[in-house]
Amino acid sequence: MAAAGVGWGFSQARTPNDPLSPQDYIDIQTLYATYARAYDTGEGGGKVWADTFTQDGVFVVGGREYTGSQELAGYVNSRSQNGGSD
């Protein structure tokens, strides 16, 4: 039975030519709004912004690379404490 469930899951996978659903657009807009707001404000000590990345996400600014949730949160938190300057 598990194999049938896995097969159904793969058969439902999206292909690159599938159009985005209305919920996809809502999710993308919400992610973008959260990213921008949290970057500007340092909300949650930078954690809210860091959470818009994957756990191994990378952000490069000013020739410096910030990798992973902890570094990302630290970067945006220190940025917001310095008045938003990079």
Side-chain angles (χ1 to χ4, degrees), residues 49 64-76:
W49 182 73
R64 174 114 194 262
E65 186 174 289
Y66 300 88
T67 304
S69 297
Q70 188 172 357
E71 283 188 18
L72 292 166
Y75 162 71
V76 84

Side-chain angles (χ1 to χ4, degrees), residues 27-84:
D27 292 344
I28 291 166
Q29 290 173 340
T30 300
L31 176 65
Y32 177 73
T34 300
Y35 175 97
R37 183 191 68 248
Y39 184 82
D40 288 343
T41 65
E43 183 178 350
K47 185 176 179 343
V48 173
W49 182 73
D51 286 348
T52 65
F53 290 80
T54 60
Q55 289 296 317
D56 61 348
V58 176
F59 183 74
V60 179
V61 62
R64 174 114 194 262
E65 186 174 289
Y66 300 88
T67 304
S69 297
Q70 188 172 357
E71 283 188 18
L72 292 166
Y75 162 71
V76 84
N77 185 47
S78 66
R79 181 188 175 283
S80 67
Q81 289 177 355
N82 293 327

